[in-house]
Amino acid sequence: MAIAQTFGNFFKQKRVERGLTLREFCRINEKDPGNISKIERGLLPPPQTKEILIGYAAALGIKEGTDDWLLFCDLAVTSAGKIPSDIVSNEEVMNALPVLFRTVRKEKLDEKDLEKLVKAIKRELR
Amino acid sequence: MNLDIPHYTHSDIGRIAQTFLNQYHPTGEIPIPIEEIIELKMGLNIFPFPRLYKDHRLNGFLSRDRTTIYVDEVQYNQFNEKYRYTLAHEVGHYILHKMCYDDLSLGSPDEYAKWRLSMPPEDIGWFETHGDWFAGHVLVPTDRLEKVCREVVEKYQDKFSKFEVIPDDIWSYISNEVATYFDVNPPVIEIRIKKANIMTKVPIGV
């Protein structure tokens, strides 16, 4: 098994171990899937308050005082400093762009449409 | 830069979809748990993208680095059947068009826009057709479809036998019920019934 190196990786690993999709995890725990997905992908910083961390840990089946709990808290601290800046890099944008897609409309795709799409993707990377 | 369109027939994609199901869902139970396969078995991310359809007329897309499937947030939250189809379609690109994603070397959003606008719509059409065929085969495997159709036809056999002539569009009605077994929208079943030639395999009113 690969070693989880970031808070987001570890979060996702624990969720997957519980056999829960993001949608199901968020439904059960009343969380926002967009935000949780961003935390898992390292696009949002881990929460820094103990109460919120405890809440996430409970949702992931991590008990306080266990090795997983210590790792969870350590990663929350160390990952906080590794979160990318507010400016989305060119590489991040290029990796996220769609390659094959068809819009559901009759008009031909134009430059403005693509510009708008790239802008929206950039927005969702933070 | 043009992308080479792989030449797949509908049957080719059926075989690829079956291999995919054998690997990720060997029990073959329906409805096919496509979301679980993608997230829990393949390790991809699914991200609900706000206003993707409303602002960009897109149901979803696979990111260029093939790590994340972005899906319209409304679909994600409210339209389960449509959502499942979008996921299966995008996984189709993941499985069938890997080379296209790997071969594409673009350095900036401007280069990307130029490339994308130069893509002939009919080429894009082929890639999208592959995705649709893959989604149909994965969500509605032929053997399961035939089995469910037999069950549903059997259930209504008394009613059907009262018809003097079986109406041509009877399968459209049957599709509504069959669709509930697979968690897909009825038109997906209608297309699969035609493509899999179920009409000749499952007689009605005999």
Side-chain angles (χ1 to χ4, degrees), chain B residues 64 66 97-105:
Chain B
R64 183 169 165 250
R66 298 198 316 144
H97 305 133
K98 180 180 184 297
M99 291 300 283
C100 303
Y101 286 76
D102 290 348
D103 288 350
L104 197 64
S105 80

Side-chain angles (χ1 to χ4, degrees), chain A residues 22-39:
Chain A
L22 177 71
R23 205 162 59 136
E24 190 62 357
F25 174 83
C26 292
R27 191 190 61 76
I28 294 168
N29 296 291
E30 296 179 344
K31 306 286 182 203
D32 177 69
N35 283 338
I36 298 295
S37 172
K38 286 180 179 179
I39 289 174

Side-chain angles (χ1 to χ4, degrees), chain A residues 12 15 19-23 33 37 41 90 94-98 100-104 109 116 120 124, chain B residues 35 39 43 45-47 55 57-58 61 63-65 76 80 83 106-109 112 116-117 124 128 132:
Chain A
K12 184 175 175 184
R15 172 175 67 75
L20 294 172
T21 62
L22 177 71
R23 205 162 59 136
S37 172
R41 288 182 291 144
N90 188 58
M94 294 310 292
N95 281 339
L97 292 174
L100 302 173
F101 65 95
R102 173 175 54 193
T103 56
V104 188
L109 194 72
K116 198 169 139 193
E124 291 310 322
Chain B
E35 188 183 32
E39 278 199 28
N45 304 303
I46 299 171
F47 179 74
D55 290 350
R57 289 289 180 262
L58 288 174
F61 64 87
S63 65
R64 183 169 165 250
D65 63 4
Y76 183 90
N80 194 50
Y83 168 62
L106 298 167
S108 68
Y112 165 78
R116 187 57 182 75
L117 293 172
I124 292 290
E128 293 306 301
D132 287 340

